[in-house]
Every structure is written in C-alpha cells, then in structure tokens.
C-alpha cells in the first residue's frame, strides 16, 4: 500500500485511488486464505460507498456484538 499511496497523492485507503480497483485486487479474495483478508475487496467497496467513518462505526457495532 505504501508505494501506491505515495504514487497517488498519499491516499490512506485503496478505494480513494482513481485506479481502484486495480490489478492488485485481481483474484485477491479467491486465493488469500487469511481470515482477515477474505472479504477485503467487499469491505473496501462498502467503506467507499458509505464513507470511512460510517464503516468504522459499523465495525465497532459488530465488535460490541461479538
């Protein structure tokens, strides 16, 4: 992420990039077995749609439920 961030204006999240989703996401969800990464592209899209603050609020609510 760091090299991409610098290249594209010091963005904080991939979905802020005008090139998102880029080649780095091709097939990502289908081959990464780490549980935390399984829904990364879907989660990035949701954060892009509702905004990062609302996304963080949802994650906090989920954490409370668990």
């Amino acid at each position: 992420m760091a090299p991409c961030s610098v290249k594209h204006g010091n963005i904080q999240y991939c979905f802020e990039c005008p090139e998102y989703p880029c080649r780095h996401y091709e097939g990502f969800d289908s081959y990464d077995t780490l549980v935390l990464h399984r829904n990364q592209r879907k989660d990035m899209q949701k954060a892009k749609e509702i905004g990062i603050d609302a996304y963080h609020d949802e994650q906090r609510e989920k954490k409370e439920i668990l």
Side-chain angles (χ1 to χ4, degrees):
M1 173 66 189
C4 288
S5 173
V6 171
K7 180 180 175 185
H8 296 287
N10 295 321
I11 58 173
Q12 291 185 341
Y13 302 97
C14 292
F15 66 81
E16 296 174 318
C17 179
E19 295 180 22
Y20 175 81
C22 67
R23 65 178 177 82
H24 296 289
Y25 282 89
E26 292 175 8
F28 186 85
D29 289 339
S30 63
Y31 68 82
D32 195 327
T33 59
L34 183 61
V35 172
L36 299 174
H37 293 171
R38 285 191 184 154
N39 297 311
Q40 187 171 11
R41 187 168 177 177
K42 182 181 80 170
D43 292 340
M44 283 279 196
Q45 186 60 38
K46 182 157 191 173
K48 181 178 182 176
E49 290 171 4
I50 67 173
I52 197 65
D53 291 332
Y55 179 78
H56 283 157
D57 289 343
E58 281 190 5
Q59 296 305 303
R60 285 185 200 99
E61 287 179 30
K62 287 181 180 180
K63 180 181 171 186
E64 292 295 320
I65 292 169
L66 294 174

